[in-house]
Amino acid sequence: MNFELSEEQRIFRDQVRAFAECHLKGGALARAHSGSYPRDIARLMAANGLFGIALPEAVGGQGGALLDSVIALEEVSLACPRSGDVIQAGNFGAIRTFAEYATADQRQRYLKPLLAGEMLISVAMTEPDAGSAVTDLKSALKADGEGWRLSGSKVFVTNSEEADLFLVYCRYGPGVEGIGSVLLERGAEGFEIGRPSQYMNGESWCPLFFDGVYVPPENVLLGRGGFKKQISGFNVERLGNATRAQALGRYCFNQARDYALSRQQFGRPLCEFQGIQWKFAEMEIQLEAARLLLYRAATRAETGLPSAQDTSIAKAMCNLAGHFAANESMQVMGGMGYSADTLVEWCLRKTRGWLIAGGSLEMMKNRIAEGIFERRFSQRPPRAGARAGADG
Amino acid sequence: MKILVPVKRVVDFNVKVRVKADHTGVETANVKMSMNPFDEIAVEEAVRLKEQGAASEIVAVSIGVAQCQETIRTALAMGADRGILIETRVETQPLAVAKLLKALVERESPGLVILGKQAIDDDCNQTGQMLAALLGWAQGTFISKAKIGDGKAEVVREVDGGLESLVLKMPAVLTADLRLNEPRYASLPNIMKAKKKPIETLTPEALGVDVTPRIATLKVEEPPKRKAGGKVAGVAELVDKLKNEAKVI
Ligand SMILES: Cc1cc2nc3c(=O)[nH]c(=O)nc-3n(C[C@H](O)[C@H](O)[C@H](O)COP(=O)(O)OP(=O)(O)OC[C@H]3O[C@@H](n4cnc5c(N)ncnc54)[C@H](O)[C@@H]3O)c2cc1C
């Protein structure tokens, strides 16, 4: 077993770090506090080969592995936490599922602008009555000539205020087998984007309403039976979520470490108090463990998509470690940590969201337990006369 | 035309260096090392000259421990074609480096050697000048602009108080200043391609160069800590202190 990055991975990490230090570190606070998606940063990253890192060169990607995108996401987040969301959008989010399953024609139309940072794609999965129980989603397609008509609604979609394209989970028929997905462009007739609400992290989300929106056949991404594939793609999104959680925890740790070395109370620096030292030891243990699980999940993703079990373990651990470190760092930094003059309080708010987003901590634990017992545990109430385990 | 670009592995510019406990130098164990920033500029210039068609091959060379291979690999990822590592555990000083480079120039016959104006670890700023002298070549140091023409190079030098324009006879030695260019970041595909580019390993002995240091370091010390400043109540007190304590006005 080798715990070292390869020479190429180290060189790539150093190049990304140099880029992030030079172009992203300045303005990190303002970027986090602005709330809107930084398109200028997206274009800059795309121009520097930081979009589509794990996609093949033949489709306009960089030809790297999943671990390469994890490394880039870490380095960028450590210099500018908010810019990590841009690496997420250009590598881990809906773009990844899209690139995996898109037809040649769909790639032709959308992948180039997406990889150039000109276009932004969001995933619309969650519905008012289908959160953790995502297979309960109701947004449905009705056949209309060659194409389809989509009706329903979505909530909590990240970047819904600015996205140009939406990867919408919807159903062609009943059951898990009936679920697939389509691509909707912003501005399509019958597609309404509602009033924005604010998340605790300062970002906004808008409810999406589909009122018989026409979906031409060429905009079907996955047909009936596509749910499993979509979730495989979504596991990459989850690892991006895990990477950012862990990296933001480390960002806070770094801030708090500098602070503990310089801030004096009772005539000595904070780092000389054992009560403070142990906080750092605990953070270090959590963050290092999280990172190893994250790297393992990414490294074992031979086909480019990580396994559900590895992903669930890594995501749960990274989400907890990141949030823990942000919270402890705030404590170390006292009133300074709690104030918006540093990014620690923002990171705390941000890492809190990842315990819910992308499959909550509880749902990750459910999945891990299924792996342990090698059984499906249906979360649904038992039906009279039927054994549990039929679906979601 | 072939261009030779020496690249040095140094402590990364972001690292806060610490003096070793025995005062023989600065701590380099478990410290992040990178290519000397001025050498990155030199590599970038060579790559641009190749992209413009003014050069046909770029050879990156590093002198030092085996890990210098990573520095060479970074140069290859930026666009150099092949690498040479002169492996030695001796901490080579500028004259030894210049002699090693001279031996390589005789072997490789480049039309141009582009170096960084100095390395950010020892700040010597001597190697380029010594190499030009040993070779008997023209030199353009601290350059912020270079144009390669037929048998000559037009360069702009950053000198005290202004800019100096020179025409040099080729072959020549150039040393890069900060404003020459903004080096590119190596992309992932180029990093992976660099893996396949050849790196040859040589030794000072094989090149017949004695690299024994001629200067002994007696002691390395931290600069004295800056004392905390005092606060003044207003302009009047400030003027008074400048006059009577500091005696500067
Ligand atoms: C910051 C953020 C960004 C998001 N971005 C997107 C996006 O881009 N696209 C998108 O489609 N959605 C997005 N979401 C929505 C997210 O996927 C859902 O919030 C998540 O799946 C949980 O669903 P819910 O909020 O409806 O909670 P619920 O499912 O109602 O759950 C409420 C609580 O009950 C727990 N719970 C539910 N079922 C079980 C069970 N079986 N066992 C144990 N505990 C259970 C949950 O863990 C949670 O704690 C985002 C959410 C957040 C917070």
Side-chain angles (χ1 to χ4, degrees), chain A residues 46-294:
Chain A
N48 281 281
L50 295 178
F51 270 28
I53 293 166
L55 295 180
E57 285 187 80
V59 303
Q62 301 292 316
L66 181 56
L67 185 59
D68 295 313
S69 22
V70 167
I71 290 169
L73 181 48
E74 270 188 313
E75 289 302 330
V76 164
S77 302
L78 284 171
C80 171
R82 175 61 172 150
S83 294
D85 298 340
V86 183
I87 295 285
Q88 173 82 13
N91 293 280
F92 292 85
I95 194 172
R96 186 65 187 84
T97 311
F98 170 77
E100 188 75 13
Y101 303 115
T103 62
D105 158 68
Q106 288 167 347
R107 282 205 198 114
Q108 180 70 25
R109 279 184 292 146
Y110 298 126
L111 199 52
K112 202 169 165 202
L114 284 170
L115 288 175
E118 299 293 342
M119 195 183 238
L120 177 63
I121 183 171
S122 280
V123 60
M125 191 169 60
T126 309
E127 297 187 359
D129 294 327
S132 300
V134 65
T135 53
D136 282 356
L137 66 89
K138 290 184 191 138
S139 291
L141 298 165
K142 257 204 191 112
D144 180 0
E146 297 271 277
W148 303 85
R149 295 251 169 216
L150 175 68
S151 294
S153 66
K154 296 284 174 185
V155 289
F156 299 149
V157 174
T158 297
N159 294 330
S160 40
E161 232 181 326
E162 20 239 332
D164 310 287
L165 191 64
F166 293 83
L167 195 169
V168 184
Y169 282 39
C170 51
R171 59 173 66 255
Y172 297 84
V176 182
E177 307 74 38
I179 300 175
S181 57
V182 299
L183 302 165
L184 273 197
E185 283 184 34
R186 181 184 208 89
E189 206 185 320
F191 176 17
E192 195 199 321
I193 298 178
R195 225 166 36 106
S197 297
Q198 269 237 324
Y199 274 135
M200 180 179 175
N201 65 17
E203 288 161 46
S204 64
W205 65 270
C206 310
L208 310 180
F209 304 103
F210 317 121
D211 183 11
V213 188
Y214 183 66
V215 180
E218 63 271 18
N219 275 16
V220 168
L221 183 68
L222 283 166
R224 230 176 256 279
F227 184 72
K228 261 217 160 102
K229 287 184 176 173
Q230 253 149 225
I231 290 296
S232 300
F234 194 65
N235 280 332
V236 177
E237 171 130 19
R238 287 178 168 149
L239 274 199
N241 162 320
T243 307
R244 283 176 296 160
Q246 178 262 134
L248 262 56
R250 180 59 74 178
Y251 177 92
C252 294
F253 174 100
N254 291 343
Q255 302 277 312
R257 183 180 175 276
D258 286 348
Y259 195 79
L261 283 167
S262 60
R263 167 77 173 171
Q264 304 240 357
Q265 285 296 285
F266 300 99
R268 61 206 302 204
L270 294 181
C271 71
E272 290 184 9
F273 300 116
Q274 194 176 49
I276 297 289
Q277 292 165 9
W278 284 14
K279 283 189 189 301
F280 281 96
E282 282 161 15
M283 284 192 268
E284 183 77 1
I285 294 166
Q286 299 286 317
L287 289 172
E288 284 295 294
R291 193 180 201 202
L292 286 175
L293 287 169
L294 171 66

Side-chain angles (χ1 to χ4, degrees), chain B:
Chain B
M1 179 186 65
K2 194 190 283 186
I3 304 179
L4 192 71
V5 188
V7 291
K8 185 175 186 184
R9 180 177 143 95
V10 299
V11 173
D12 188 82
F13 74 97
N14 269 316
V15 171
K16 245 181 96 194
V17 293
R18 275 181 303 124
V19 172
K20 277 192 203 159
D22 64 2
H23 296 280
T24 55
V26 299
E27 196 56 73
T28 53
N30 293 321
V31 168
K32 182 167 158 37
M33 308 290 283
S34 301
M35 189 190 301
N36 177 36
F38 291 108
D39 299 349
E40 284 182 347
I41 297 172
V43 174
E44 175 67 31
E45 197 62 19
V47 174
R48 287 186 192 185
L49 287 172
K50 191 180 167 192
E51 285 168 351
Q52 291 157 16
S56 53
E57 191 187 25
I58 302 165
V59 182
V61 49
S62 194
I63 301 164
V65 292
Q67 288 91 323
C68 293
Q69 177 170 312
E70 194 161 316
T71 312
I72 297 175
R73 199 68 74 187
T74 304
L76 298 179
M78 288 174 72
D81 298 289
R82 63 188 169 88
I84 299 173
L85 168 64
I86 304 178
E87 202 175 335
T88 171
R89 302 189 133 276
V90 177
E91 238 183 81
T92 47
Q93 292 173 348
L95 184 59
V97 173
K99 284 180 181 172
L100 287 168
L101 293 176
K102 175 175 180 270
L104 271 194
V105 165
E106 280 159 2
R107 195 167 163 268
E108 295 280 343
S109 329
L112 207 56
V113 182
I114 311 180
L115 306 89
K117 70 166 180 178
Q118 68 196 65
I120 62 165
D121 50 2
D122 55 23
D123 279 335
C124 278
N125 183 353
Q126 297 169 7
T127 307
Q129 293 88 328
M130 287 177 170
L131 176 63
L134 290 174
L135 288 167
W137 285 12
Q139 60 177 296
T141 50
F142 320 136
I143 61 164
S144 58
K145 219 176 249 169
K147 211 176 120 207
I148 307 303
D150 209 16
K152 60 179 191 180
E154 290 170 45
V155 301
V156 176
R157 301 183 61 227
E158 305 231 331
V159 293
D160 285 350
L163 299 173
E164 184 182 55
S165 300
L166 296 181
V167 179
L168 311 175
K169 205 174 91 204
M170 301 269 278
V173 172
L174 304 180
T175 75
D177 211 323
L178 197 62
R179 276 162 287 272
L180 181 58
N181 60 51
E182 201 187 306
R184 70 195 62 193
Y185 301 100
S187 69
L188 188 57
N190 286 338
I191 292 170
M192 292 189 293
K193 274 175 213 136
K195 197 179 170 181
K196 298 198 186 82
K197 295 180 180 176
I199 297 179
E200 182 186 2
T201 303
L202 299 171
T203 59
E205 298 75 51
L207 290 167
V209 177
D210 175 13
V211 293
T212 316
R214 293 167 173 240
I215 303 166
T217 302
L218 300 180
K219 195 173 182 193
V220 176
E221 278 180 289
E222 292 262 7
K225 281 228 162 62
R226 272 181 60 185
K227 287 196 209 96
K231 273 191 187 160
V232 291
V235 176
E237 193 189 340
L238 176 66
V239 172
D240 175 67
K241 279 191 186 275
L242 289 173
K243 255 193 193 143
N244 301 316
E245 262 179 49
K247 298 192 175 28
V248 290
I249 51 173

